Amino acid sequence: MSNSDSTKQSLFEEFPPVSTEEWEEVIKKDLKGANYKEKLRWETDEGIETLPFYRREDLSELNRSAPIPKSYTNTEANSWEIREPIFENDISKANGAAQNALDRGADALQFQITVRRTEGMLGGDIQGLPIQNQSDFSTVLSKISLENTPLHFDAGLASPALLAMLWDEIQTQNLDPQKIRTTFSYDPFIYLLQHGQYSKAQKDIERDIYHIAQFSADNLPTVRPLSIDGRFYHNSGATIVQELGYAMASASEYLAILTDNNINHAAQALSFSFSIGSNYFLEIAKFRAARLLWKNLIEAYDIDPQKNAAYLHGETSRWNKTLYDPYTNMLRTSTESMAGAIAGCDSLTVLPFDEHFRQPNDFSERIARNQQLILSEEAYFNKVKDPAAGSYYIEKLTDKIAERAWDIFQDVEAEGGLFKAIENGTVQSAIQQSQQQRDQAIAKRGRTFVGTNQYTNADENMSDDIGESKQTAALRESEEISIESNAENLVEYLSEAFSQEANIADVIDKLFDFGRQQYRTVTPYRGPQAFEELRLATERHQSTPKVLNLPLGNKKWRKGRASFSANFFGCAGYHIEDPIGFGDADEAINAIKDQQPDIAVICSSDKEYKELVPAIADGVSNLENPPILVLAGYPEEDVETYKECGVDEFIYSKCNVLKTLTRFQVKLGIILNEK
């Protein structure tokens, strides 16, 4: 056969197609006749039910004919900006860290600045990088090419001040504004959710949004000054569909304000920032759903989606990162960054594994940066156009997530928009319900955090490793300054003020005001935090409680329940004594007398408990300092009897581990009372 003949034949002709019915017959046989659509169906936190496999015909149900690609800006098919956050709290050191990051493979830089104004105080304070004036801004970016380095300022409602400083710097250096690529995290909706009050009167916020977008459109057309910060929703415990739904509601409110004021290129003023959790396939589908929803949204505003693709930034989750066994966080960020790359993020931030509890060091920053470099330079994810396209499972997930998120968006719109929904408490209630469901799953170990609520290292101590990752400094007011400006546009006014050597403290009233009415708030947190607080309390206590397992009887049962007990109490950082076994109850009682544990756990089978429990409980009751007597298991028909014998607590697989351990902490005097 000639080469020309062989090339005309399909490589897969030897593998005839297999119908869905044939696959289902095989599955039915493996499940011994059970219906796989019922037995293997599972439901996500978002209420989305998924099947174990999908076929091509499942895509025919989707109301779209093509995948949702991102807008490609260079020759690499799926390239993204490797964005590195700078954690230094000193201006000069931050500049050195920024140059080092760029030299070692980062494409873009991210700076964290939080300006706070407290009612009744002069000025306020600044947390993170203390950029207070134009000189500080210039020092941070010294020797960094602003025309070749994308920047992101995570500055919240202080973003207009940084935007003004950026404009002044561009003019000072005589740079081409068309080459400046920068985003800012200005998001008044998040401010209202987090603080329970408007930063200004709503009409003034809308005016600022208009001024910020107008200034950028006129002077910095490639800068995105307005943000939809989905990270806040995620890190506060919201589901994926809530994160997307509220993000689209935020985007819609921006577009309504801007289009009403005839702002050209309104869509190009916006950028999205989403967190990436560890639910791998759902996170890939989330970003694809975001592009689909964005297309639907801007078409409703008569904006061309082909010329106004969504700018999506992904950042690894803070919600699921642990204090204990912290190196497992690198595994989590590996999964998350891979999902972001496959999903088609325009830029990606991998947070260092220790960022949430101390100042990251060279090692943790290098690992975070190299995770992205490996994905692009070694795994070649940047060379495959739309790598998730064609996955029937991801396409179905994308469609279901988008549908649920659009429902949330429509509910918010029907309520009068996102500001109104926050005022009414609708958003807060939905997120807090999601928080409660997640917290219950963690407390009962239905959701595992390795090293924290399962498989702990009992010898690990972390209290000495905790440090401040962000320092706080007072805002400096100028001694004598009189700002001369007739500018009505907020950013123009700030630009003139900083060119006259003003500090942020001198213009803070232009950024923040105080509303009187208070609304419900939502606070970011980490899922493992409650377990970590219990364990930190143990570390800081004057002595570590001792747990003595009492394995008795049937070897299979005693081994399994002793292992369960060790893992259970390890979550609180207790010292575990776990002998191989005891011959009888008397031998176990003697061990209690010799070792004098704080907690003694009987580990055997339910059948053998009927004799062992009364005997051990009676022997323990006569001791001068009896331990807390615990039974591993929950034999329902005998629970009351065992309580009468002297059993204080029962530990078992379906119990609320967090609540039970809290009771132990109270009984042992480690904490004062249950929360």
Side-chain angles (χ1 to χ4, degrees):
M1 183 186 296
S2 68
N3 288 337
S4 59
D5 291 334
S6 64
T7 55
K8 294 178 183 179
Q9 292 183 332
S10 169
L11 294 174
F12 299 101
E13 284 184 353
E14 296 183 20
F15 303 94
V18 180
S19 69
T20 299
E21 291 74 18
E22 290 175 290
W23 275 113
E24 289 178 337
E25 281 301 315
V26 173
I27 296 171
K28 185 176 181 179
K29 182 178 178 181
D30 288 342
L31 294 178
K32 298 181 171 38
N35 186 342
Y36 79 92
K37 291 185 178 180
E38 295 177 0
K39 193 172 184 65
L40 299 181
R41 181 188 297 268
W42 64 284
E43 187 175 301
T44 71
D45 290 346
E46 292 72 23
I48 295 172
E49 292 186 340
T50 62
L51 296 175
F53 85 110
Y54 292 91
R55 303 295 308 280
R56 184 188 296 272
E57 55 260 35
D58 291 305
L59 298 188
S60 63
E61 302 171 6
L62 304 184
N63 189 26
R64 51 188 167 90
S65 58
I68 309 114
K70 69 180 181 183
S71 178
Y72 303 106
T73 56
N74 53 36
T75 56
E76 298 291 1
N78 188 41
S79 63
W80 66 90
E81 291 174 0
I82 298 176
R83 185 186 288 183
E84 178 154 346
I86 304 302
F87 293 98
E88 291 291 347
N89 296 309
D90 176 83
I91 296 293
S92 297
K93 289 181 179 178
N95 174 253
Q99 292 186 57
N100 180 70
L102 296 174
D103 290 342
R104 295 179 180 272
D107 301 320
L109 300 171
Q110 181 172 328
F111 299 99
Q112 174 78 39
I113 304 109
T114 303
V115 175
R116 300 182 297 191
R117 182 184 182 191
T118 306
E119 193 167 11
M121 289 180 60
L122 293 175
D125 58 36
I126 185 167
Q127 190 179 62
L129 188 60
I131 297 177
Q132 305 216 37
N133 51 42
Q134 191 68 45
S135 175
D136 290 341
F137 188 90
S138 300
T139 301
V140 165
L141 297 176
S142 175
K143 299 180 182 179
I144 293 172
S145 172
L146 302 189
E147 293 182 338
N148 298 305
T149 308
L151 303 174
H152 176 75
F153 292 96
D154 224 337
L157 295 198
S159 293
L162 279 299
L163 175 59
M165 292 181 189
L166 175 65
W167 175 240
D168 287 348
E169 189 68 21
I170 291 168
Q171 292 179 301
T172 299
Q173 295 189 33
N174 195 27
L175 303 177
D176 182 357
Q178 297 282 347
K179 295 181 179 180
I180 305 301
R181 290 170 294 156
T182 305
T183 63
F184 295 86
S185 64
Y186 179 91
D187 190 332
F189 307 99
I190 297 304
Y191 186 93
L192 178 58
L193 266 177
Q194 190 167 18
H195 296 88
Q197 62 182 16
Y198 283 100
S199 59
K200 295 181 179 180
Q202 188 174 345
K203 62 179 179 59
D204 293 331
I205 293 174
E206 293 177 359
R207 182 200 61 207
D208 286 351
I209 290 171
Y210 161 66
H211 282 167
I212 292 166
Q214 182 190 49
F215 180 88
S216 295
D218 293 342
N219 300 289
L220 297 165
T222 55
V223 168
R224 295 178 182 267
L226 303 174
S227 171
I228 298 100
D229 195 350
R231 298 171 301 175
F232 179 87
Y233 301 109
H234 170 93
N235 289 318
S236 297
T239 64
I240 283 173
V241 296
Q242 288 171 340
E243 184 182 359
L244 279 179
Y246 298 137
M248 291 302 148
S250 176
S252 179
E253 203 138 344
Y254 278 130
L255 291 174
I257 294 167
L258 298 179
T259 54
D260 284 349
N261 286 279
N262 299 316
I263 293 290
N264 294 326
H265 310 299
Q268 295 176 18
L270 307 181
S271 67
F272 291 86
S273 290
F274 291 113
S275 285
I276 312 171
S278 54
N279 204 330
Y280 182 68
F281 292 108
L282 266 71
E283 292 293 343
I284 295 173
K286 177 178 78 177
F287 281 87
R288 293 172 63 75
R291 294 194 184 279
L292 177 61
L293 293 171
W294 172 253
K295 177 176 180 291
N296 292 347
L297 179 64
I298 63 174
E299 283 179 341
Y301 283 93
D302 292 325
I303 298 173
D304 185 357
Q306 297 297 323
K307 297 179 180 179
N308 296 276
Y311 181 93
L312 304 184
H313 172 65
E315 181 176 277
T316 54
S317 171
R318 282 187 168 97
W319 185 86
N320 64 358
K321 298 306 180 290
T322 58
L323 170 64
Y324 288 92
D325 206 357
Y327 295 108
T328 57
N329 292 329
M330 289 190 279
L331 302 178
R332 297 181 180 107
T333 55
S334 293
T335 300
E336 292 160 0
S337 57
M338 184 174 174
I342 290 176
C345 289
D346 293 287
S347 59
L348 184 60
T349 296
V350 176
L351 296 172
F353 72 89
D354 55 353
E355 169 272 335
H356 55 288
F357 66 89
R358 68 186 180 196
Q359 180 82 13
N361 56 31
D362 290 341
F363 172 75
S364 61
E365 290 178 344
R366 179 171 62 86
I367 292 296
R369 179 172 57 249
N370 285 353
Q371 283 176 298
Q372 291 200 64
L373 291 172
I374 288 171
L375 292 175
S376 61
E377 301 296 331
E378 296 187 25
Y380 303 121
F381 285 174
N382 62 340
K383 292 180 169 56
V384 180
K385 182 176 181 179
D386 201 7
S391 166
Y392 309 141
Y393 177 51
I394 292 176
E395 293 287 13
K396 286 290 288 186
L397 278 179
T398 297
D399 200 61
K400 289 180 179 180
I401 288 171
E403 184 179 340
R404 294 289 182 101
W406 192 254
D407 287 342
I408 291 176
F409 162 69
Q410 289 182 313
D411 289 342
V412 172
E413 289 293 289
E415 200 167 345
L418 188 56
F419 274 139
K420 192 65 178 176
I422 295 171
E423 287 182 8
N424 294 340
T426 307
V427 176
Q428 298 92 316
S429 294
I431 293 175
Q432 285 163 1
Q433 183 178 358
S434 173
Q435 287 176 355
Q436 291 169 3
Q437 292 174 347
R438 290 188 176 196
D439 292 346
Q440 281 295 307
I442 296 166
K444 294 182 178 181
R445 301 203 288 197
R447 186 165 190 154
T448 297
F449 289 98
V450 173
T452 301
N453 70 345
Q454 282 274 31
Y455 316 117
T456 59
N457 178 1
D459 297 325
E460 186 178 30
N461 291 310
M462 292 298 296
S463 57
D464 292 337
D465 291 332
I466 299 174
E468 286 291 331
S469 59
K470 296 174 186 174
Q471 294 181 2
T472 301
L475 287 175
R476 299 191 304 267
E477 287 187 336
S478 303
E479 293 183 3
E480 293 184 9
I481 187 169
S482 178
I483 301 169
E484 297 182 5
S485 174
N486 295 319
E488 294 182 3
N489 186 295
L490 173 65
V491 185
E492 289 178 355
Y493 173 88
L494 293 171
S495 171
E496 292 179 15
F498 292 127
S499 68
Q500 297 170 39
E501 301 184 351
N503 288 319
I504 286 180
D506 302 320
V507 296
I508 196 169
D509 61 317
K510 298 291 184 181
L511 303 173
F512 302 97
D513 199 348
F514 291 98
R516 293 182 179 179
Q517 186 161 354
Q518 297 293 314
Y519 304 100
R520 289 170 58 185
T521 60
V522 174
T523 304
Y525 73 109
R526 288 182 298 106
Q529 213 164 316
F531 274 95
E532 293 169 357
E533 288 172 359
L534 282 184
R535 189 159 176 184
L536 285 170
T538 302
E539 282 189 34
R540 292 161 180 163
H541 192 57
Q542 58 189 2
S543 61
T544 303
K546 180 192 287 188
V547 177
L548 175 62
N549 283 337
L550 305 174
L552 293 149
N554 183 289
K555 291 183 178 180
K556 178 181 178 181
W557 278 100
R558 76 187 191 189
K559 181 179 179 182
R561 283 181 160 164
S563 296
F564 177 84
S565 171
N567 193 19
F568 189 98
F569 288 105
C571 295
Y574 295 171
H575 176 70
I576 315 294
E577 291 289 343
D578 192 18
I580 294 175
F582 297 105
D584 53 31
D586 289 338
E587 191 176 331
I589 293 169
N590 287 332
I592 293 173
K593 292 177 181 178
D594 291 340
Q595 299 191 34
Q596 296 185 339
D598 299 285
I599 299 168
V601 187
I602 307 172
C603 305
S604 189
S605 65
D606 288 358
K607 180 179 179 181
E608 291 168 296
Y609 281 153
K610 295 181 183 295
E611 293 184 6
L612 291 171
V613 171
I616 294 175
D618 183 62
V620 168
S621 65
N622 296 322
L623 298 178
E624 184 177 349
N625 294 307
I628 300 171
L629 192 61
V630 180
L631 191 72
Y634 196 78
E636 291 187 40
E637 68 279 2
D638 296 316
V639 165
E640 292 304 319
T641 301
Y642 295 156
K643 286 182 179 179
E644 291 174 5
C645 288
V647 173
D648 298 293
E649 292 281 356
F650 298 82
I651 59 172
Y652 50 98
S653 60
K654 303 223 175 186
C655 75
N656 188 313
V657 179
L658 181 64
K659 191 173 181 180
T660 306
L661 285 175
T662 300
R663 288 200 300 270
F664 279 105
Q665 296 285 70
V666 173
K667 290 178 181 180
L668 294 167
I670 295 173
I671 61 177
L672 294 178
N673 49 52
E674 296 182 43
K675 293 182 179 179

